[in-house]
Amino acid sequence: MKNNNTRDQHEMELLDLIEQYLKKVTPDHCDDDGIVAVSYFLLGDVTFSDNLLNYSLSSASALAAFSKSEVLIHLKKYMSCHEIDILCDLLKRMIEFCNQVERNNLILAQFDQLLWDICDTSHISTEVIISYKSKYDKLIKSLNA
């Protein structure tokens, strides 16, 4: 029992240290090497909101195609069963990733920050900027309520 308590204590201390480290290395502005930035660029940067749906639907379509025996037989000519399993797992995870990002306002805000902070937004109309401002005004008001 004592070993279990010691392990739990070390785990808590580890989590505290990780949190301290992240607080020190997380800048007050966008970090183009962080996981959020990498994810943002994976999703096609400026088109991330469209690609969340596109990537998810494409992954689901590929999985549906792989479930058909004629497609699977053809695929097995080029890939081992293990590689196909890995590919299917990757596609399932892409669907889960897109769904989780789409429902997480914090991540979406970080993506929007990257969009407006480091991307060329000169092609984006004033109306769109105003709609983003309205979105964040509402989000802030809901937090203050």
Side-chain angles (χ1 to χ4, degrees):
M1 181 85 145
K2 186 174 182 175
N3 283 343
N4 213 12
N5 287 339
T6 304
R7 187 204 172 279
D8 291 347
Q9 182 64 32
H10 284 297
E11 186 174 336
M12 293 302 294
E13 290 170 0
L14 170 61
L15 289 171
D16 286 342
L17 289 171
I18 292 170
E19 187 174 327
Q20 288 175 36
Y21 170 77
L22 288 173
K23 283 182 181 178
K24 289 189 181 296
V25 298
T26 303
D28 293 333
H29 56 85
C30 292
D31 171 16
D32 9 341
D33 292 330
I35 191 68
V36 171
V38 171
S39 300
Y40 174 75
F41 290 109
L42 167 74
L43 291 170
D45 56 68
V46 177
T47 59
F48 77 86
S49 59
D50 293 334
N51 285 341
L52 281 169
L53 179 62
N54 293 338
Y55 283 22
S56 187
L57 290 175
S58 297
S59 297
S61 297
L63 285 170
F66 295 162
S67 70
K68 298 187 182 325
S69 59
E70 61 273 10
V71 173
L72 193 55
I73 289 169
H74 182 71
L75 194 59
K76 285 182 178 179
K77 292 178 185 176
Y78 302 97
M79 298 175 76
S80 70
C81 288
H82 179 70
E83 291 169 329
I84 293 170
D85 288 344
I86 291 171
L87 177 59
C88 289
D89 187 50
L90 173 86
L91 293 169
K92 287 180 209 172
R93 287 172 188 259
M94 179 55 80
I95 294 167
E96 292 167 3
F97 172 78
C98 290
N99 289 338
Q100 288 176 6
V101 166
E102 194 172 40
R103 292 189 305 258
N104 189 315
N105 283 332
L106 174 62
I107 294 172
L108 293 175
Q110 290 169 323
F111 283 180
D112 285 343
Q113 183 183 30
L114 285 165
L115 168 67
W116 297 102
D117 196 29
I118 65 173
C119 292
D120 176 18
T121 57
S122 60
H123 64 286
I124 299 176
S125 71
T126 303
E127 291 80 18
V128 171
I129 295 170
I130 292 169
S131 72
Y132 273 88
K133 286 176 61 180
S134 174
K135 171 186 170 180
Y136 285 99
D137 279 339
K138 289 176 185 174
L139 285 170
I140 291 168
K141 285 177 184 172
S142 73
L143 290 174
N144 292 333

